């Protein structure tokens, strides 16, 4: 099942921007790289983490776990 962007509870301005760009479900953004997603106006850290989790991506790819 595709996750709808409205289910992620993004900020209203970002949600409106994504709708204007034609994105309705998270799968529509699958072809974008992390950098391209972060360049979308209004995309902030908290919203990025929600989108990355829904896409199955790691929002912190370079973070090393402490042992």
């Amino acid at each position: 099942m595709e996750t709808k962007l409205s289910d992620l509870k993004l900020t209203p301005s970002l949600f409106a921007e994504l709708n204007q760009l034609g994105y309705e479900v998270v799968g529509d953004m699958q072809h974008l790289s992390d950098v391209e997603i972060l360049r979308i106006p209004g995309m902030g850290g908290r919203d990025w983490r929600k989108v990355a989790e829904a896409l199955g991506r790691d929002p912190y790819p370079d973070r090393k776990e402490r042992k």
Side-chain angles (χ1 to χ4, degrees), residues 13-57:
S13 60
L14 176 61
F15 182 68
E17 180 72 26
L18 292 174
N19 281 334
Q20 285 181 342
L21 293 173
Y23 302 121
E24 296 179 5
V25 294
V26 176
D28 294 342
M29 302 175 70
Q30 190 69 39
H31 71 281
L32 297 173
S33 69
D34 296 344
V35 173
E36 291 172 325
I37 293 174
L38 286 167
R39 286 184 181 159
I40 296 172
M43 182 67 74
R46 183 173 41 144
D47 293 327
W48 161 240
R49 288 189 294 273
K50 291 177 185 178
V51 171
E53 183 178 340
L55 286 171
R57 298 181 187 178

